[in-house]
Amino acid sequence: MENSEVWINGHYLGQRPYGYSSFSYDLKPHLNFGGRDNLIAVRADNSHQPNSRWYTGSGIYRHTWLVVTSPVHVAQWGTYVAVSR
């Protein structure tokens, strides 16, 4: 839920302090190819704030996706529509 840290194949990808906002990491630089296994590790630490208004536990409790993109693609949050007046 909170204070997540993510690794792939032993490479540290980053940390997120807040559990209610989405995030993503680029795994490509650290992937194993040629049929070799890839290991994704996630650590969630909710020990500093053991209770929340909506959820009192810890861990991954919502949908999680592994998104495969083409070499040329629009980055997550890379485009938007705005109303011009």
Side-chain angles (χ1 to χ4, degrees), residues 10-84:
H11 297 277
Y12 186 71
L13 298 176
Q15 185 265 346
R16 295 291 300 185
Y18 190 60
Y20 294 110
S21 299
S22 62
F23 61 90
S24 65
Y25 295 108
D26 182 7
L27 308 180
K28 186 173 60 174
H30 310 294
L31 288 175
N32 293 325
F33 293 97
R36 295 174 26 216
D37 289 340
N38 290 285
L39 176 66
I40 297 174
V42 178
R43 178 180 183 267
D45 179 6
N46 196 33
S47 62
H48 292 84
Q49 166 57 343
N51 294 308
S52 168
R53 289 186 291 183
W54 300 286
Y55 184 71
T56 59
S58 187
I60 300 172
Y61 63 95
R62 294 197 180 173
H63 297 294
T64 303
W65 293 271
L66 184 59
V67 178
V68 179
T69 62
S70 296
V72 176
H73 64 278
V74 176
Q76 181 182 14
W77 321 121
T79 187
Y80 62 94
V81 176
V83 176
S84 177

